[in-house]
Amino acid sequence: MLNYQETRLVKDTIPALQQHGEHIATVFYKTMLRDHPELHNYFNTVNMHTGKQPHALTQLILAFASNIVNISELVPKLERVAQKHASLNIQPDHYEIVGKYLLRAFSAVLGPAMTPDVKMAWTKAYWVMAKMLTGREAHLYRAFEAWKGWRKFMIYRKTNETVGGNIVSFTLKPVDGKPLPTFLPGQYITLRITVPGMKFVQLRQYSLSDAPSHAHYRITVKRDQGTNPDYGRGDDAMTVSSAASSASDSSIGSIQPYKVGVVSNSLIDEFHEGDTIELTHPAGSFSLNTDMDNNSMPLVLISAGVCVAPLLSMLNTVVERRITRPVSWIQASRHDAPFQAHVEKMARNHPNMRTKFFKSRLSDSDVLSYTSSFDNDFLSLTAEDLYLAHSSAEYYICGPEKFMLQAASHLRRSGVKPERVQFEIFSVGSFEMRPDY
């Protein structure tokens, strides 16, 4: 651990990190990838070009420096990072590489401010964080048991979930025919495919969109039509993704060509039933714990667009296991609502389930302008829709950033305590829910 003087030295770098943090992160990724191009095989190409990953890394470093004397405050964020690292099969050796190039970037950008004492303090601080992550990741790997690394799956079924065919579900069966491990509803897998014209393999994380099964998994993918880079999951971890400040930055020498929606469009257009892909073991901290179910606790599931996937896994699990707790399903979409017929059919057969569907531009993309129609639709929800009279109600929200912020704001104004609300963060580096929302 760090002594008092070392913690002070780390905290004293916060102003410089606030000013130069994203430059440090960009230098870090550039030099590390230049010397270790094989690490591109762990990275999300989209996040290299959008500039989100330097921001995410900067925020993680700043959070760690700010809480260096109260590390427990970082546990939820580090848990998300550890889960993502485990889903990508990140190993302790990777931390050696990251530490080397991160500290080198600190020195390159901060210059004389990076004195030997400051460098030593940050070296120790980095390894405190690294050991927290590797320890948690080792625990996750042990829980994965026999499934280590990548496993081949066959696309057993492709199903269009909307009229236009822009949201497609893939039912996946293991090629080895062995039973699949269960998972917590809400978790995700990492998918790896080879895309023609791309030098490195492409990785994306997709939430599982059905109840756990030992025979198959299902993911649901939205075609990216240019408004949102690969509308899947993000990667807000140090060693998960690389990034640059912009796609035109001539200083970024080894980044592969940028293609909008390269994975989502390839999956929908070029992968067919019978084809194979590779997955890692399910992971993720956003999940419904069905082992501790209390049938008197209402469950409120709020989603938008394709972000319905992890909440549908929760809903299907509740229905399949005949859990009798009250459920309120609230779903926004810009056009067709995926799985609406399926959800409405379940609601007809379960009197303790209520549904609400409405249109919202915010369900489609983080970058669309705010529109009052969302507020009006959400305000139309009754106290009964949200189970506001029940102090034990649990809320799970998944959608684009603005959607989640508006939903959270409405719940806060309605008196819902933050500890009863969970959020799934699909985007990288752009949304960090505060304790007070």
Side-chain angles (χ1 to χ4, degrees):
M1 296 296 293
L2 283 72
N3 59 37
Y4 174 78
Q5 181 61 28
E6 289 166 336
T7 60
R8 291 306 313 166
L9 289 172
V10 168
K11 290 180 73 70
D12 286 346
T13 62
I14 291 177
L17 292 174
Q18 290 172 330
Q19 182 178 359
H20 304 293
E22 294 193 21
H23 186 197
I24 291 171
T26 300
V27 170
F28 156 67
Y29 286 120
K30 174 191 172 184
T31 55
M32 184 177 69
L33 288 173
R34 179 195 64 202
D35 294 349
H36 294 273
E38 74 280 1
L39 295 180
H40 274 291
N41 290 311
Y42 289 89
F43 303 153
N44 181 322
T45 307
V46 173
N47 291 336
M48 294 180 184
H49 294 266
T50 60
K52 288 185 175 182
Q53 189 58 32
H55 177 72
L57 176 58
T58 301
Q59 294 305 308
L60 180 62
I61 293 172
L62 281 170
F64 189 80
S66 301
N67 292 279
I68 192 69
V69 295
N70 190 16
I71 299 297
S72 62
E73 294 293 323
L74 289 173
V75 170
K77 185 171 185 65
L78 293 181
E79 175 65 14
R80 288 196 296 273
V81 173
Q83 292 279 348
K84 290 185 177 183
H85 280 186
S87 78
L88 289 162
N89 199 33
I90 298 298
Q91 298 298 319
D93 288 350
H94 292 118
Y95 285 89
E96 296 280 353
I97 299 173
V98 168
K100 173 183 176 180
Y101 288 91
L102 184 60
L103 292 167
R104 183 182 293 180
F106 268 57
S107 297
V109 176
L110 298 182
M114 194 68 169
T115 66
D117 287 343
V118 173
K119 184 175 182 179
M120 179 60 69
W122 260 109
T123 299
K124 292 180 69 173
Y126 169 78
W127 281 108
V128 168
M129 181 169 61
K131 288 177 180 178
M132 291 177 67
L133 288 168
T134 56
R136 176 57 179 150
E137 289 156 21
H139 178 79
L140 291 171
Y141 290 137
R142 287 193 295 271
F144 292 174
E145 296 179 345
W147 186 346
K148 306 297 183 186
W150 299 98
R151 186 172 176 181
K152 289 186 177 181
F153 281 70
M154 179 189 71
I155 300 174
Y156 177 72
R157 183 182 299 116
K158 282 181 68 175
T159 307
N160 287 330
E161 304 296 355
T162 54
V163 174
N166 289 325
I167 296 181
V168 178
S169 289
F170 294 78
T171 301
L172 310 168
K173 290 189 174 183
V175 171
D176 59 23
K178 296 179 180 179
L180 294 172
T182 190
F183 59 87
L184 294 175
Q187 291 189 308
Y188 55 83
I189 50 82
T190 296
L191 173 148
R192 182 170 74 175
I193 61 172
T194 298
V195 178
M198 303 296 286
K199 183 176 180 181
F200 301 98
V201 295
Q202 297 296 301
L203 279 62
R204 296 295 185 274
Q205 293 171 325
Y206 290 102
S207 294
L208 293 156
S209 61
D210 202 357
S213 166
H214 292 301
H216 67 269
Y217 289 156
R218 186 179 70 184
I219 60 172
T220 300
V221 179
K222 180 183 184 296
R223 179 191 299 280
D224 180 20
Q225 296 177 311
T227 59
N228 217 18
D230 259 331
Y231 204 114
R233 298 189 49 84
D235 304 298
D236 62 355
M238 293 186 299
T239 58
V240 173
S241 302
S242 176
S245 58
S246 73
S248 61
D249 189 341
S250 61
S251 68
I252 307 300
S254 61
I255 290 181
Q256 49 191 319
Y258 175 58
K259 296 182 180 180
V260 173
V262 61
V263 173
S264 61
N265 288 308
S266 182
L267 282 171
I268 291 174
D269 294 334
E270 301 170 13
F271 283 76
H272 309 286
E273 293 176 358
D275 291 343
T276 59
I277 59 174
E278 294 179 298
L279 308 181
T280 56
H281 193 287
S285 55
F286 177 78
S287 60
L288 178 67
N289 187 348
T290 56
D291 291 335
M292 298 180 62
D293 181 63
N294 184 329
N295 289 338
S296 66
M297 295 171 57
L299 178 64
V300 182
L301 304 175
I302 304 172
S303 66
V306 74
C307 299
V308 67
L311 302 190
L312 186 65
S313 176
M314 295 180 185
L315 180 64
N316 285 355
T317 301
V318 167
V319 171
E320 184 178 292
R321 298 187 184 182
R322 298 184 180 180
I323 297 171
T324 59
R325 64 190 298 186
V327 178
S328 183
W329 179 269
I330 300 167
Q331 183 177 352
S333 60
R334 189 176 185 184
H335 301 295
D336 299 334
F339 303 105
Q340 181 171 351
H342 170 75
V343 171
E344 289 178 333
K345 180 179 179 180
M346 286 196 293
R348 288 194 295 270
N349 296 325
H350 296 83
N352 61 338
M353 178 179 168
R354 59 175 67 230
T355 62
K356 177 74 172 183
F357 296 88
F358 59 89
K359 302 295 183 183
S360 171
R361 292 184 67 204
L362 292 181
S363 69
D364 198 41
S365 173
D366 284 357
V367 300
L368 289 172
S369 300
Y370 169 78
T371 56
S372 60
S373 62
F374 173 82
D375 239 0
N376 292 335
D377 284 323
F378 213 85
L379 288 173
S380 72
L381 298 173
T382 66
E384 290 75 19
D385 290 329
L386 294 170
Y387 287 100
L388 296 178
H390 296 256
S391 60
S392 62
E394 292 183 322
Y395 300 82
Y396 293 82
I397 305 176
C398 187
E401 177 182 345
K402 290 182 180 179
F403 177 90
M404 290 195 291
L405 286 171
Q406 292 298 324
S409 177
H410 183 79
L411 291 175
R412 182 187 65 242
R413 293 193 303 267
S414 300
V416 176
K417 295 182 178 180
E419 59 267 24
R420 291 196 282 130
V421 185
Q422 286 196 44
F423 302 87
E424 175 63 310
I425 304 172
F426 269 24
S427 184
V428 57
S430 60
F431 178 74
E432 184 64 36
M433 188 57 62
R434 301 184 305 275
D436 62 345
Y437 300 151

